[in-house]
């Protein structure tokens, strides 16, 4: 089975990408810093002192860069914070488990708002538009993984116009490190993620998985009687499957299309990956409800993956385009090592 060279190794062996070629790569940030972010030109006059995060991805990246002391409020959580940040996270106000109000963000008096999803802060953001924040003198930074290869004007979770790749996450890490003038921390974090990716791919390669191995990623369902939200081919789950040589039975370019169980069962994936999360918007957010459905539904229960117990539980946050996607790749690789395929 042919596996793809880890993108992280390609970066180490090849040329430095344009987004990483900055004067601050080997020295301190020169302010004012001007950069392009999701179609908007940002001017950062000085390293932010007060940041608010809208999205777990932005929160965990700032924590990983050693910037927890500058985070004055967080929001939009799918899973518990990474274990190494549990103590510090408990001291930082959580503005909302899901969507914060514009007013609650302003109340923290931030000089930067770091955002995971453009649908929270964007042209029709449910928290606010970037112009609304501009009007009160607050810079907004949206994680590039949500916009560099994605069209969010299509509604819902958006449509990928190009495949997600971890370089988009590394770009966000590198730019946030530059904004806050902590470039060494950014380089250290990117290197660690690249090493995790390479390890996961090498482990899967050693398994010699069968050709044509297929999978589906189930995030949630608005109702268990309705079609589930499953991963399209170009998002973070598509990246994981591509790196491990697995075929996604869902061919849509939408981030999370709804597809009927009859269609999924007809494709009969070898592996089903289900999202585990603390969020409870829908009944199927509960991983136990997902498991019960798969084992009792007259259609879903007949799938090969269900019959053979090839069901992998993965943190929901890893299924989004975040640095956790690299950890998700690693956990999927480990789960496959415990499975037997005929």
């Amino acid at each position: 089975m042919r596996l793809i060279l880890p993108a992280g190794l390609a970066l180490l062996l090849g040329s430095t990408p344009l987004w990483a070629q900055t004067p601050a790569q080997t020295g301190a940030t020169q302010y004012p810093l001007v950069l392009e972010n999701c179609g908007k030109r940002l001017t950062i006059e000085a390293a932010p002192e007060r940041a608010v995060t809208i999205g777990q991805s932005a929160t965990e990246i700032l924590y990983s860069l050693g910037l927890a002391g500058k985070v004055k409020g967080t929001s939009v959580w799918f899973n518990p914070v990474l274990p190494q940040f549990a103590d510090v996270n408990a001291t930082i106000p959580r503005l909302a488990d899901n969507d914060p109000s514009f007013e609650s963000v302003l109340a923290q008096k931030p000089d930067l708002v770091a955002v995971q999803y453009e649908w929270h802060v964007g042209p029709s953001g449910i928290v606010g538009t970037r112009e609304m924040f501009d009007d009160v003198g607050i810079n907004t930074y949206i994680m590039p993984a949500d916009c560099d290869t994605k069209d969010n004007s299509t509604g819902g979770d958006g449509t990928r116009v190009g495949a997600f790749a971890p370089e988009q996450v590394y770009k966000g890490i590198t730019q946030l490190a530059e904004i806050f003038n902590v470039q060494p921390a950014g380089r250290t974090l990117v290197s660690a993620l690249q090493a995790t990716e390479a390890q996961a791919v090498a482990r899967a390669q050693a398994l010699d998985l069968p050709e044509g191995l297929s999978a589906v990623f189930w995030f949630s369902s608005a109702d268990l009687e309705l079609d589930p939200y499953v991963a399209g081919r170009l998002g973070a789950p598509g990246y994981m499957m591509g790196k491990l040589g697995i075929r996604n039975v869902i061919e849509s370019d939408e981030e999370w299309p709804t597809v009927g169980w009859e269609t999924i069962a007809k494709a009969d994936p070898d592996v089903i990956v289900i999202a585990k999360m603390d969020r409870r918007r829908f009944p199927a957010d509960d991983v136990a409800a997902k498991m019960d459905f798969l084992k009792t539904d007259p259609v879903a229960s007949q799938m090969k993956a269900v019959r053979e117990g090839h069901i992998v539980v993965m943190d929901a946050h890893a299924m989004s385009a975040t640095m956790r996607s690299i950890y998700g790749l690693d956990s999927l690789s480990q789960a496959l090592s415990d499975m037997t395929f005929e």
Side-chain angles (χ1 to χ4, degrees), residues 115-157:
V115 183
Q116 179 173 345
Y117 297 116
E118 201 171 22
W119 68 276
H120 277 124
V121 177
S124 52
I126 61 172
V127 175
T129 65
R130 301 187 87 173
E131 291 73 21
M132 289 168 64
F133 284 100
D134 287 343
D135 289 344
V136 292
I138 300 172
N139 269 316
T140 53
Y141 181 85
I142 299 172
M143 301 309 299
D146 194 56
C147 61
D148 276 8
T149 59
K150 190 178 172 192
D151 179 4
N152 290 310
S153 67
T154 60
D157 293 302

Side-chain angles (χ1 to χ4, degrees), residues 6-9 12 84 166 170 188-204 239 243-244 323-334:
L9 292 181
L12 292 173
Q84 62 267 38
Y170 303 153
T188 297
L189 178 56
V190 169
S191 294
L193 292 169
Q194 289 171 337
T196 297
E197 181 187 42
Q199 172 185 284
V201 174
R203 183 190 300 113
Y239 148 75
K243 284 292 180 183
L244 301 181
M323 71 175 185
R324 286 245 195 152
S325 300
I326 290 89
Y327 302 148
L329 173 73
D330 189 52
S331 68
L332 179 57
S333 173
Q334 292 185 52

Side-chain angles (χ1 to χ4, degrees), residues 10 47 76 104 127 229 234 292 301:
V76 190
S104 71
V127 175
Y229 294 106
L234 298 178
D292 182 67
S301 62

Side-chain angles (χ1 to χ4, degrees), residues 135-310:
D135 289 344
V136 292
I138 300 172
N139 269 316
T140 53
Y141 181 85
I142 299 172
M143 301 309 299
D146 194 56
C147 61
D148 276 8
T149 59
K150 190 178 172 192
D151 179 4
N152 290 310
S153 67
T154 60
D157 293 302
T159 301
R160 289 279 168 187
V161 295
F164 163 77
E167 286 79 8
Q168 296 151 24
V169 174
Y170 303 153
K171 175 181 176 180
I173 292 169
T174 300
Q175 289 187 331
L176 282 171
E178 188 176 6
I179 287 170
F180 284 90
N181 195 21
V182 291
Q183 291 89 330
R187 292 192 291 273
T188 297
L189 178 56
V190 169
S191 294
L193 292 169
Q194 289 171 337
T196 297
E197 181 187 42
Q199 172 185 284
V201 174
R203 183 190 300 113
Q205 189 170 22
L207 295 175
D208 193 24
L209 297 170
E211 289 285 348
L213 194 71
S214 63
V216 65
F217 278 60
W218 178 18
F219 190 83
S220 190
S221 305
D223 188 287
L224 285 165
E225 301 303 317
L226 300 177
D227 295 345
Y229 294 106
V230 290
R233 66 188 184 95
L234 298 178
Y239 148 75
M240 296 180 212
M241 286 183 270
K243 284 292 180 183
L244 301 181
I246 300 171
R247 178 177 60 86
N248 188 355
V249 301
I250 307 300
E251 298 182 352
S252 172
D253 289 349
E254 289 183 50
E255 193 84 341
W256 292 102
T258 54
V259 179
W261 282 112
E262 292 81 3
T263 300
I264 297 170
K266 185 176 180 180
D268 202 17
D270 297 294
V271 178
I272 299 173
V273 184
I274 60 177
K276 178 181 180 181
M277 67 190 85
D278 290 352
R279 188 194 78 170
R280 290 293 182 270
R281 280 185 173 174
F282 309 129
D285 287 349
D286 186 346
V287 71
K290 289 189 183 78
M291 293 292 288
D292 182 67
F293 175 86
L294 289 173
K295 293 176 180 178
T296 61
D297 180 77
V299 174
S301 62
Q302 298 307 304
M303 290 188 289
K304 177 176 19 180
V306 179
R307 297 197 313 269
E308 298 183 1
H310 290 169

